Amino acid sequence: MEVSPDVHVESARLQRQIAEALGLPADQLVFDFRQIDGQTRLDLITVNPRHQQSFLFRYELGYDKLDALRKMLGYVQSSRDAEASYTIQWRARGDKELQTSYFRAHNAYEALDKLYYGRDLNTITVFSVVLNPSS
C-alpha cells in the first residue's frame, strides 16, 4: 500500500506539535508505530539526555498512524494533567549512581510499567516509588 506525501507531511507536523507541547527536542522522542489487531499502536518513548535511558511516555491506539498521532497530541495538550505524578528512584545494573525519573500515570504500577518498558526487569533496581503531591 502506497502512502501519499500528504500523510508524511501531516505525520511530521503532528510529531513536531507533540514535541513542542511536551517542551522536548525531537531527538529526545521516539515515535514507535506497530500494527495490533487491525489497529495502529503508537508508543511514544522519551530518551533522557543525561543517562540515555528510554522510557514509555504513553501509548495510543488509532485506526491508522495519523489517528494515533492526533490522539497523542490531544492527550499531551489537555488530558495529561488528569494523571498523577510519580517520582521513581532507580539504578541500572552495573551503575553506581542513583537516578530519579518522573512519570504521569493512573497508579504506581502503571508508572513502573513505563520505567521498565522494553527492558528486562533484572536490569533496573527500583529504590522508591513516590506519589507526588498535587497542586
Side-chain angles (χ1 to χ4, degrees), residues 90-103:
W90 58 276
R91 184 171 57 214
R93 185 172 52 205
D95 275 1
K96 290 180 175 39
E97 189 178 354
L98 191 65
Q99 303 291 343
T100 301
S101 296
Y102 304 93
F103 298 89

Side-chain angles (χ1 to χ4, degrees), residues 58 71 73-83 104 106:
R58 179 178 178 81
K71 287 178 178 178
L73 180 60
Y75 170 79
V76 299
Q77 288 177 332
S78 61
S79 304
R80 175 167 72 137
D81 293 334
E83 293 177 324
R104 288 227 171 251
H106 292 102

Side-chain angles (χ1 to χ4, degrees), residues 15 26 39 44 48 55-56 67 72 80 82 84 86 88 101 110 118-119 133:
Q15 289 181 36
Q39 291 190 297
L44 181 56
N48 185 299
F55 305 108
L56 178 65
D67 185 45
M72 186 67 73
R80 175 167 72 137
Y86 289 87
I88 299 178
S101 296
E110 185 179 324
R119 58 176 53 88

Side-chain angles (χ1 to χ4, degrees), residues 1-16 33 40 63-70:
M1 183 170 109
E2 222 172 286
V3 178
S4 78
D6 294 345
V7 170
H8 294 299
V9 171
E10 178 69 1
S11 175
R13 184 185 67 77
L14 288 165
Q15 289 181 36
R16 187 175 57 254
F33 296 92
T40 299
Y63 62 86
D64 64 13
K65 186 176 180 178
L66 293 180
D67 185 45
L69 282 165
R70 287 184 188 108

